[in-house]
């Protein structure tokens, strides 16, 4: 049984196996992010803090891209989904971040939620074939190939890092604080 905290986030299991623990922490980080962006309108999603150009809207789009990149393109070797397949990443490596101001909050949330849904299915598929040791289909330029375990740990780190950013931006908008 999953325990839900006061913000509606699923608590990571305290005595699961390796895979259950990794997936539990990733889902907790995703839910933390969803809590931080919840209820904001377009103006709120475009707020910046201090000298940074980072926005919550940009963060939503970036995390949608990262979900698709690591779990679909890198892990399974699949072609990029829309809108990523039409981006000239060499011309604009930060397109995901700054193009978000052209999207509505609803479009951004749908993009992110769809990417998370695809990621969960891709992880389930990889686990059925090779468990956390399942190697990615793509390799790094140096020839190294990460396994699913590494990708899951990286995604936990990616969300945790951006949740810290989201916390600062959200507090500047309406004072919402918390882990």
């Amino acid at each position: 049984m999953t325990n839900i905290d006061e913000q509606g986030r699923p608590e990571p299991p305290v005595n699961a196996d390796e895979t259950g623990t990794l997936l539990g922490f990733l889902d907790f980080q995703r839910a933390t992010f969803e809590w931080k962006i919840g209820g904001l309108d377009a103006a709120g999603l475009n707020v910046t803090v201090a000298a940074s150009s980072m926005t919550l809207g940009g963060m939503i789009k970036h995390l949608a891209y990262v979900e698709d990149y690591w779990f679909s393109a890198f892990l399974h070797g699949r072609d990029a989904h829309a809108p990523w397949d039409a981006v000239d990443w060499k011309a604009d490596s930060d397109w995901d971040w700054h193009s978000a101001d052209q999207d509505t909050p609803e479009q951004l949330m749908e993009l992110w939620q769809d990417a998370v849904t695809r990621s969960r299915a891709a992880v389930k598929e990889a686990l059925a074939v090779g468990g956390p040791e399942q190697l990615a289909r793509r390799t790094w330029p140096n020839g190294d190939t990460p396994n699913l375990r590494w990708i899951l740990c990286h995604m936990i780190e990616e969300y945790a890092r951006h949740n810290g950013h989201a916390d600062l931006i959200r507090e500047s908008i309406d004072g919402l604080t918390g882990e």
Side-chain angles (χ1 to χ4, degrees), residues 14-45:
V14 296
N15 60 3
D17 64 9
E18 174 189 14
T19 301
T21 300
L22 290 171
L23 293 175
F25 272 94
L26 180 54
D27 280 341
F28 180 80
Q29 292 297 331
R30 286 172 173 152
T32 298
F33 181 67
E34 190 167 17
W35 170 45
K36 291 296 171 182
I37 60 175
L40 293 175
D41 60 11
L45 292 178

Side-chain angles (χ1 to χ4, degrees), residues 40-140:
L40 293 175
D41 60 11
L45 292 178
N46 286 307
V47 167
T48 60
V49 175
S52 176
S53 63
M54 188 181 298
T55 66
L56 291 173
M59 206 174 299
I60 295 168
K61 200 164 191 175
H62 170 72
L63 287 169
Y65 170 66
V66 170
E67 289 272 0
D68 272 338
Y69 176 78
W70 281 107
F71 291 120
S72 185
F74 210 88
L75 179 62
H76 288 288
R78 295 180 178 137
D79 291 337
H81 293 94
W84 325 120
D85 59 344
V87 177
D88 182 353
W89 292 102
K90 289 181 181 167
D92 188 355
S93 62
D94 287 330
W95 179 86
D96 49 337
W97 285 97
H98 63 76
S99 66
D101 64 358
Q102 300 166 27
D103 301 314
T104 67
E106 296 78 20
Q107 289 169 321
L108 290 169
M109 287 301 295
E110 182 178 359
L111 184 68
W112 178 68
Q113 289 169 340
D114 287 350
V116 169
T117 298
R118 282 190 298 274
S119 293
R120 286 185 173 127
V123 168
K124 184 176 181 180
E125 181 183 341
L127 287 170
V129 173
E133 293 82 22
Q134 176 65 40
L135 292 176
R137 295 271 177 105
R138 296 196 179 165
T139 61
W140 286 315

